[in-house]
Amino acid sequence: MIWNPEYESMDRAALHQLQLRRLQMTTAWAYERVPHYRAAMEARGVRPRDIRGLDDVRRLPFTDESALRDAFPFGMFALPLDEVVRVHSSSGATGAPVVVGYSRGDINTWTELTARVAAAAGVQRGDLVQMAFPYGMSTGGWGLHYGIERIGATIIPAGAGQSERHLIMMRDFGTTVLVSTPSYALYLAEQADELGVDIASFKLRLGLFGGEPCSVAMRAEIEERLRIRATDNYGLSEVMGPGVAGECDCACGLHVNEDHLLLEVVDPSSGEALEYGEEGELVLTTLTKEAFPLLRYRTHDVTALDPARCECGRTLVRMAKVRRRTDDMLIVRGVNIFPSQIEDVLVRIEGVRPHYLVVVDRKKNLDDLEIRLEVDERVFTDVMGEMVAFQRAVADRLQSALGLRTRVKLVEPGTIERTAGAAARVLDLRDQD
Ligand code: DLL
């Protein structure tokens, strides 16, 4: 079902007119209200009045995550706090997280866009939709929650974790739709097998998966083991969260909500614009956000765009599934982690040497993060209890920085290969086809 045909199937020439009007408004709004944007535009000698056509977006400065982080907590807000009704945050590459704000209008738009994404995937009134993204500072649970309610389907706000409880609710309630990361869906299938529960006999028929890449093989496995149709949706907290783009019935790319977002794909190293069909880094400019406008935000996600009309009747451009990033960010159990965050924690711990290896693997369909750590002879004792206590202390510190439990393995001095830079110390053994 097309939730909002007026916009989702809009004539592209009219869409471009609308985008231009909104781009001009957003540029002026950001320039007037956010010191960072004013300074960055002045440094490039560009003013809001210079935006006369959509291509003029290229005259605007790029915005990188570091600018958002430097503005911690509210420095990039374009509205005073008394007009901000919600904040969320995402983890930053180092130190401070990125805090994003929403006005009442922004929440309304977000709800509309997640309703579109959920409807495109096939959610309808009458569906029972079980949410397995966390309800917390991250945007995972909240965004789709409201969109699903707007459609009139029934949301089950189960939240993250507690897989056995998820399975029991699914069975007892007759859940028809699961919203989660693709890896969590497979983990649930695995847990069901272990508990002797026949998940294939459940009423589940559809999955809305996002928050991390999903390989072709993984999608096929989900569809087979859970007996559902698996769909992909994409988003990022800085822009709003889920609701940026989602697949329709054709499964031929993710329709991007272009009436609210202006897209560019650029060469990641030169920043030069690429043509439709060429693969590069996605750059997003928000067109309607009030509290947290973004100009030319470098997402670091690699994709390509296809503007051809889709069989479903939507005219919105389709982006190819995101399979990799241009930076070293890892997504582990749906949590974004930069190797530099791990390094930051480790260097502050006495007895830890600056040699470590981050090993990411998938065990029984659950992402597993192991930190192999060289420690001083003093720590590497024969006293088992002391080593275990040390391991636990390191895992605790990592957990509070990353928001994720890791397994810490202590190794003898000199056993880890010497490499330069945090990114080189990562071994990602997950299926990356
Ligand atoms: O992951 C928002 C979201 C939640 C989207 C639930 C969809 C469903 P962040 O935590 O800020 O926000 O992480 C954003 O995750 O830049 C991508 O690298 C990655 N990502 C998100 N969705 C997909 C996807 C949420 N469908 C970062 N495929 C993004 C591949 C994805 N990567």
Coordinates of all heavy atoms in Angstrom, one line a residue, residues 132 160-164 166 180-191 194 212 218 221 225 331-335 359-370 404-407 428-431:
A132 N 11.4 -5.2 18.3 CA 12.5 -5.7 19.1 C 13.7 -4.8 19.0 O 14.9 -5.2 19.3 CB 12.9 -7.1 18.5
A160 N 14.2 -4.4 23.2 CA 15.3 -5.3 22.9 C 15.5 -6.4 23.9 O 15.1 -6.2 25.1 CB 16.6 -4.4 22.7
G161 N 16.1 -7.4 23.5 CA 16.5 -8.5 24.4 C 15.4 -9.4 24.9 O 14.3 -9.3 24.4
Q162 N 15.8 -10.3 25.8 CA 14.8 -11.3 26.3 C 14.2 -12.1 25.2 O 13.0 -12.1 25.0 CB 13.8 -10.6 27.2 CG 14.4 -9.8 28.3 CD 13.3 -9.3 29.3 OE1 12.4 -10.1 29.6 NE2 13.3 -8.1 29.7
S163 N 15.0 -12.8 24.5 CA 14.5 -13.5 23.3 C 13.4 -14.6 23.7 O 12.5 -14.7 22.9 CB 15.7 -14.2 22.6 OG 16.4 -14.9 23.5
E164 N 13.5 -15.2 24.8 CA 12.5 -16.2 25.1 C 11.1 -15.5 25.3 O 10.1 -16.0 24.8 CB 12.9 -16.9 26.4 CG 12.1 -18.2 26.6 CD 12.6 -19.0 27.8 OE1 13.7 -18.9 28.2 OE2 11.8 -19.9 28.3
H166 N 10.3 -12.8 23.9 CA 9.8 -12.4 22.5 C 9.1 -13.6 21.9 O 8.0 -13.4 21.3 CB 11.0 -12.0 21.7 CG 11.3 -10.6 21.6 ND1 10.4 -9.7 21.0 CD2 12.3 -9.8 22.1 CE1 10.9 -8.5 21.2 NE2 12.0 -8.5 21.8
S180 N 13.1 -5.7 13.7 CA 14.4 -5.9 14.4 C 15.6 -5.7 13.5 O 15.4 -5.4 12.3 CB 14.4 -7.3 15.0 OG 14.5 -8.3 14.0
T181 N 16.7 -6.0 14.0 CA 17.9 -6.1 13.1 C 17.8 -7.5 12.4 O 17.2 -8.4 13.0 CB 19.2 -6.0 13.8 OG1 19.3 -7.1 14.8 CG2 19.5 -4.7 14.5
P182 N 18.3 -7.7 11.2 CA 18.2 -9.0 10.6 C 19.0 -10.0 11.4 O 18.5 -11.2 11.5 CB 18.9 -8.8 9.2 CG 19.5 -7.4 9.2 CD 18.9 -6.6 10.3
S183 N 20.1 -9.7 12.1 CA 20.8 -10.7 12.9 C 19.9 -11.1 14.1 O 20.0 -12.3 14.5 CB 22.2 -10.2 13.2 OG 22.1 -9.0 13.9
Y184 N 19.2 -10.2 14.6 CA 18.3 -10.6 15.8 C 17.2 -11.6 15.3 O 16.9 -12.5 16.1 CB 17.7 -9.4 16.5 CG 17.1 -9.8 17.8 CD1 17.9 -10.2 18.9 CD2 15.8 -9.7 18.0 CE1 17.4 -10.6 20.1 CE2 15.2 -10.1 19.2 CZ 16.0 -10.5 20.3 OH 15.5 -10.9 21.5
A185 N 16.7 -11.4 14.1 CA 15.7 -12.3 13.6 C 16.3 -13.7 13.5 O 15.6 -14.7 14.0 CB 15.2 -11.8 12.3
L186 N 17.5 -13.8 13.1 CA 18.1 -15.2 13.0 C 18.4 -15.7 14.3 O 18.3 -16.9 14.6 CB 19.4 -15.1 12.1 CG 19.2 -15.1 10.6 CD1 20.6 -15.1 9.9 CD2 18.4 -16.4 10.2
Y187 N 18.8 -14.8 15.2 CA 19.1 -15.3 16.6 C 17.8 -15.8 17.2 O 17.8 -16.9 17.9 CB 19.6 -14.1 17.4 CG 19.9 -14.5 18.9 CD1 20.9 -15.3 19.2 CD2 19.1 -13.9 19.9 CE1 21.1 -15.7 20.5 CE2 19.3 -14.2 21.2 CZ 20.3 -15.1 21.5 OH 20.5 -15.4 22.8
L188 N 16.7 -15.2 17.0 CA 15.4 -15.7 17.5 C 15.1 -17.1 16.9 O 14.6 -18.0 17.7 CB 14.2 -14.7 17.2 CG 14.1 -13.5 18.0 CD1 12.9 -12.6 17.5 CD2 13.9 -13.9 19.5
A189 N 15.4 -17.3 15.7 CA 15.1 -18.6 15.0 C 16.0 -19.6 15.7 O 15.6 -20.8 16.0 CB 15.5 -18.5 13.6
E190 N 17.2 -19.2 16.0 CA 18.2 -20.1 16.7 C 17.7 -20.5 18.1 O 17.7 -21.7 18.5 CB 19.5 -19.4 16.8 CG 20.7 -20.2 17.2 CD 21.2 -21.0 16.0 OE1 21.1 -20.6 14.9 OE2 21.6 -22.2 16.3
Q191 N 17.2 -19.5 18.8 CA 16.7 -19.7 20.2 C 15.5 -20.6 20.2 O 15.3 -21.4 21.0 CB 16.4 -18.3 20.8 CG 17.5 -17.5 21.2 CD 18.4 -18.2 22.2 OE1 19.5 -18.7 21.9 NE2 18.0 -18.1 23.4
E194 N 16.5 -24.0 19.9 CA 17.1 -24.5 21.2 C 16.0 -24.8 22.2 O 16.1 -25.8 23.0 CB 18.1 -23.5 21.8 CG 19.5 -23.8 21.2 CD 20.5 -22.9 21.7 OE1 20.4 -22.4 22.8 OE2 21.5 -22.7 21.0
E212 N 21.4 -2.4 10.3 CA 22.7 -3.0 10.0 C 22.6 -3.6 8.6 O 21.5 -3.9 8.1 CB 23.1 -4.0 11.0 CG 22.1 -5.2 11.0 CD 22.4 -6.3 12.0 OE1 23.2 -6.1 12.9 OE2 21.9 -7.4 11.8
M218 N 21.9 -14.0 4.1 CA 21.2 -13.9 5.4 C 19.7 -13.6 5.3 O 18.9 -14.2 6.0 CB 21.8 -12.6 6.1 CG 21.6 -12.5 7.5 SD 22.6 -11.1 8.1 CE 22.1 -11.0 9.7
E221 N 18.1 -16.9 4.4 CA 18.0 -17.7 5.6 C 16.9 -17.3 6.5 O 16.1 -18.1 7.1 CB 19.4 -17.7 6.4 CG 19.4 -18.9 7.4 CD 20.7 -18.9 8.2 OE1 21.7 -18.3 7.8 OE2 20.7 -19.5 9.3
R225 N 13.8 -19.7 7.5 CA 13.7 -20.3 8.9 C 12.5 -19.7 9.6 O 11.8 -20.4 10.4 CB 14.9 -20.0 9.7 CG 16.1 -20.8 9.2 CD 17.3 -20.6 10.0 NE 17.2 -21.2 11.3 CZ 18.2 -21.3 12.2 NH1 19.4 -20.8 11.9 NH2 18.1 -21.9 13.3
I331 N 29.0 -2.4 13.2 CA 27.7 -2.4 13.8 C 27.6 -3.8 14.4 O 27.7 -4.8 13.7 CB 26.6 -2.2 12.8 CG1 26.8 -0.9 12.0 CG2 25.2 -2.2 13.5 CD1 25.7 -0.5 11.0
V332 N 27.6 -3.8 15.7 CA 27.6 -5.1 16.5 C 26.3 -5.2 17.3 O 26.1 -4.3 18.1 CB 28.8 -5.2 17.4 CG1 28.8 -6.5 18.2 CG2 30.1 -5.0 16.6
R333 N 25.5 -6.2 17.0 CA 24.2 -6.3 17.6 C 23.4 -5.0 17.5 O 22.8 -4.6 18.5 CB 24.3 -6.8 19.1 CG 24.4 -8.3 19.1 CD 24.6 -8.8 20.6 NE 26.0 -9.1 20.8 CZ 26.6 -9.1 21.9 NH1 26.0 -8.7 23.0 NH2 27.9 -9.4 22.0
G334 N 23.5 -4.4 16.4 CA 22.7 -3.2 16.2 C 23.3 -1.9 16.8 O 22.8 -0.8 16.7
V335 N 24.5 -2.1 17.5 CA 25.1 -1.0 18.2 C 26.3 -0.5 17.3 O 27.1 -1.3 16.9 CB 25.6 -1.3 19.6 CG1 26.2 -0.1 20.3 CG2 24.4 -1.8 20.4
V359 N 38.0 -8.8 17.7 CA 37.5 -9.9 16.8 C 36.0 -9.9 16.8 O 35.4 -10.1 17.9 CB 38.1 -11.2 17.2 CG1 37.7 -12.3 16.2 CG2 39.6 -11.2 17.4
V360 N 35.4 -9.6 15.6 CA 34.0 -9.7 15.6 C 33.6 -10.9 14.8 O 34.1 -11.2 13.7 CB 33.4 -8.5 14.8 CG1 31.9 -8.3 15.1 CG2 34.1 -7.2 15.1
D361 N 32.7 -11.7 15.3 CA 32.3 -12.9 14.7 C 30.8 -13.1 14.9 O 30.2 -12.4 15.7 CB 33.1 -14.1 15.2 CG 33.1 -15.3 14.2 OD1 32.4 -15.2 13.2 OD2 33.9 -16.2 14.5
R362 N 30.2 -14.1 14.2 CA 28.8 -14.3 14.5 C 28.7 -15.8 15.0 O 29.0 -16.7 14.3 CB 28.0 -14.1 13.2 CG 26.5 -13.9 13.5 CD 25.8 -13.3 12.3 NE 25.8 -11.8 12.4 CZ 25.6 -11.0 11.4 NH1 25.5 -11.5 10.2 NH2 25.6 -9.7 11.6
K363 N 28.3 -15.9 16.2 CA 28.2 -17.2 16.8 C 26.7 -17.5 17.1 O 26.0 -16.8 17.8 CB 29.0 -17.3 18.1 CG 30.4 -17.2 17.9 CD 31.3 -17.5 19.1 CE 32.8 -17.5 18.6 NZ 33.7 -17.2 19.7
K364 N 26.2 -18.6 16.5 CA 24.8 -19.0 16.6 C 24.0 -17.8 16.2 O 23.0 -17.4 16.9 CB 24.5 -19.4 18.0 CG 25.0 -20.8 18.4 CD 24.4 -21.3 19.6 CE 24.9 -22.7 19.9 NZ 24.4 -23.2 21.2
N365 N 24.3 -17.1 15.2 CA 23.6 -15.9 14.7 C 23.6 -14.7 15.6 O 22.8 -13.8 15.3 CB 22.2 -16.3 14.3 CG 22.2 -17.2 13.1 OD1 22.8 -16.9 12.1 ND2 21.5 -18.3 13.1
L366 N 24.5 -14.7 16.5 CA 24.5 -13.5 17.4 C 25.9 -12.9 17.2 O 26.9 -13.7 17.3 CB 24.3 -13.9 18.8 CG 24.0 -12.8 19.8 CD1 22.8 -12.1 19.5 CD2 23.9 -13.3 21.2
D367 N 26.0 -11.6 17.0 CA 27.3 -11.0 16.9 C 28.1 -11.2 18.2 O 27.5 -11.0 19.3 CB 27.2 -9.5 16.6 CG 26.7 -9.2 15.2 OD1 26.8 -10.1 14.3 OD2 26.1 -8.1 15.0
D368 N 29.3 -11.5 18.0 CA 30.2 -11.7 19.2 C 31.4 -10.8 19.1 O 32.0 -10.7 18.1 CB 30.6 -13.2 19.2 CG 31.5 -13.5 20.4 OD1 31.0 -13.7 21.5 OD2 32.7 -13.6 20.1
L369 N 31.6 -10.1 20.2 CA 32.8 -9.2 20.1 C 33.8 -9.6 21.2 O 33.5 -9.6 22.4 CB 32.2 -7.7 20.5 CG 33.1 -6.6 20.3 CD1 33.6 -6.4 18.9 CD2 32.4 -5.3 20.7
E370 N 34.9 -10.0 20.7 CA 36.0 -10.4 21.6 C 37.2 -9.4 21.5 O 37.6 -9.0 20.4 CB 36.5 -11.8 21.3 CG 37.6 -12.3 22.2 CD 38.1 -13.7 21.8 OE1 37.4 -14.6 22.2 OE2 39.1 -13.8 21.2
L404 N 27.6 -2.1 25.3 CA 27.6 -3.5 24.7 C 28.5 -4.4 25.5 O 29.6 -3.9 25.9 CB 28.0 -3.4 23.3 CG 27.8 -4.6 22.4 CD1 26.3 -4.6 22.0 CD2 28.6 -4.6 21.2
R405 N 28.1 -5.6 25.8 CA 29.0 -6.5 26.6 C 30.0 -7.1 25.6 O 29.6 -7.6 24.5 CB 28.1 -7.6 27.2 CG 28.9 -8.4 28.3 CD 29.1 -7.5 29.5 NE 30.0 -8.1 30.5 CZ 30.6 -7.4 31.5 NH1 30.4 -6.2 31.6 NH2 31.4 -8.1 32.3
T406 N 31.2 -7.1 26.0 CA 32.2 -7.8 25.2 C 32.9 -8.9 25.9 O 32.8 -8.9 27.2 CB 33.4 -6.8 24.8 OG1 33.9 -6.3 26.1 CG2 32.9 -5.6 24.0
R407 N 33.5 -9.8 25.2 CA 34.3 -10.8 25.9 C 35.7 -10.4 25.9 O 36.3 -10.0 24.8 CB 34.2 -12.2 25.2 CG 32.9 -12.9 25.6 CD 32.8 -14.3 25.1 NE 33.1 -14.4 23.7 CZ 34.1 -15.0 23.1 NH1 35.1 -15.5 23.9 NH2 34.2 -15.0 21.8
D428 N 37.1 -8.7 11.3 CA 35.6 -8.9 11.2 C 35.4 -10.2 10.4 O 35.6 -10.3 9.2 CB 35.0 -7.8 10.5 CG 33.5 -7.8 10.7 OD1 32.9 -8.8 11.0 OD2 32.8 -6.7 10.6
L429 N 35.0 -11.3 11.1 CA 34.9 -12.6 10.5 C 33.5 -12.9 10.0 O 33.1 -14.0 9.6 CB 35.3 -13.7 11.4 CG 36.8 -13.5 11.9 CD1 37.0 -14.5 13.1 CD2 37.8 -13.8 10.8
R430 N 32.5 -11.9 10.1 CA 31.2 -12.1 9.8 C 31.0 -12.3 8.3 O 31.8 -11.7 7.5 CB 30.3 -11.0 10.3 CG 30.2 -11.0 11.8 CD 29.5 -9.9 12.3 NE 30.1 -8.6 12.0 CZ 29.7 -7.4 12.4 NH1 28.7 -7.3 13.2 NH2 30.3 -6.3 12.1
D431 N 29.9 -12.9 7.9 CA 29.5 -13.1 6.5 C 29.3 -11.7 5.8 O 28.5 -11.0 6.2 CB 28.2 -13.9 6.5 CG 27.4 -13.8 5.2 OD1 28.1 -13.6 4.2 OD2 26.2 -13.9 5.3

